[in-house]
Amino acid sequence: MAHMVTPSVATAWTVADNLAAVSRRIATEAHRIDRSVDDITLVAVGKSQPVERVEAALQAGHRVFGENRVQEAAGKWPDLRRRHDGVELHLIGPLQTNKIRDAVRLFDVIQTVDRPRLADGLRREMDRSGRECTCFIQVNTGEEPQKAGVLPQEADAFITRCRADVGLTLVGLMCIPPADEEPALHFALLRGIAERNGLSGLSMGMSGDFETAVAFGATHVRVGSAIFGERAGTGPG
């Protein structure tokens, strides 16, 4: 069992202040374009962060978090959830099929469904365990060969398959734009795919571009370093 980690006063203050600052920026952008801030969920990305920083966010009242790796989440979140009610945990990193059982056990939302075998495996495990996870489909909007996600031209067919044939609880789409391209183009592409498929959820935007994502209709923004500071490793945040 993990030991309780009490954040230092400085850590707790910094994380709480950063959370408030990010929330204000989301609210300002939402107000500018006449959106309700209540329609936008801030997913605090705890990947590779010291547990005391995540604990500080929990103590500040935040309850929606994202993790990239199943194994890291398994070592961190069971203990944190025992001590903090109401946590909603999102998987925002690629999911290997051999980690499906652990993912369904640990996460409430899986944002990275991107291939038939994974969709089928998730459905089987949710049926077996009796635990239903909400799902997003990850779209590789930049068509980057090294990046996970269904290609944009294949997204419509995959969405239909996940809904009609597999029966996933599908609520939206997720993307990670190429680092060297204008993110607005990718956010607009993702929004268009979602609209023509009747999906309302849009998980897009990270620490460097979440305000742009809000302007393009993001319902979930995934923010790590702007809340927790720099971390070891790279990835969504």
Side-chain angles (χ1 to χ4, degrees):
M1 179 175 176
H3 296 291
M4 180 174 177
V5 178
T6 302
S8 66
V9 173
T11 297
W13 182 88
T14 300
V15 170
D17 190 58
N18 289 347
L19 269 169
V22 170
S23 296
R24 284 194 301 270
R25 288 168 62 186
I26 291 171
T28 297
E29 183 61 22
H31 179 74
R32 185 186 72 80
I33 59 171
D34 199 27
R35 287 189 65 192
S36 171
V37 72
D38 295 335
D39 295 334
I40 305 162
T41 298
L42 173 57
V43 181
V45 179
K47 174 194 173 185
S48 302
Q49 292 290 350
V51 174
E52 71 162 2
R53 296 184 189 175
V54 178
E55 183 82 50
L58 286 159
Q59 290 187 6
H62 197 73
R63 287 297 180 268
V64 185
F65 292 84
E67 292 285 347
N68 282 61
R69 298 187 181 95
V70 173
Q71 187 171 350
E72 183 178 347
K76 180 190 304 181
W77 280 102
D79 181 61
L80 289 171
R81 293 185 103 153
R82 276 190 289 270
R83 294 185 285 103
H84 300 278
D85 293 334
V87 169
E88 180 178 288
L89 194 59
H90 293 235
L91 178 62
I92 60 171
L95 176 57
Q96 299 172 319
T97 52
N98 65 352
K99 300 287 188 183
I100 286 174
R101 180 166 292 191
D102 289 338
V104 170
R105 174 174 57 87
L106 288 164
F107 292 92
D108 305 291
V109 182
I110 296 175
Q111 293 201 12
T112 51
V113 181
D114 66 349
R115 58 199 187 278
R117 187 180 174 204
L118 177 57
D120 294 343
L122 285 167
R123 181 70 272 159
R124 285 194 299 271
E125 177 57 25
M126 287 187 278
D127 289 343
R128 186 201 68 81
S129 65
R131 188 168 196 274
E132 192 73 19
C133 298
T134 299
C135 295
F136 287 68
I137 286 174
Q138 181 174 356
V139 181
N140 185 352
T141 56
E143 302 185 32
E144 298 173 277
Q146 79 282 10
K147 189 173 287 182
V150 63
L151 295 174
Q153 61 269 29
E154 299 171 1
D156 291 358
F158 187 57
I159 291 166
T160 298
R161 185 184 189 281
C162 287
R163 281 170 154 172
D165 300 338
V166 183
L168 293 181
T169 303
L170 188 62
V171 298
L173 306 178
M174 178 266 230
C175 75
I176 305 170
D180 58 350
E181 294 186 15
E182 171 52 55
L185 301 173
H186 296 271
F187 299 156
L189 174 59
L190 195 73
R191 181 177 64 184
I193 297 170
E195 286 176 347
R196 69 174 178 255
N197 284 282
L199 291 169
S200 60
L202 287 171
S203 176
M204 55 192 196
M206 298 183 288
S207 289
D209 57 20
F210 65 84
E211 286 153 310
T212 301
V214 168
F216 278 83
T219 59
H220 295 72
V221 294
R222 310 178 306 272
V223 180
S225 58
I227 295 170
F228 297 113
E230 295 304 315
R231 62 181 183 243
T234 59

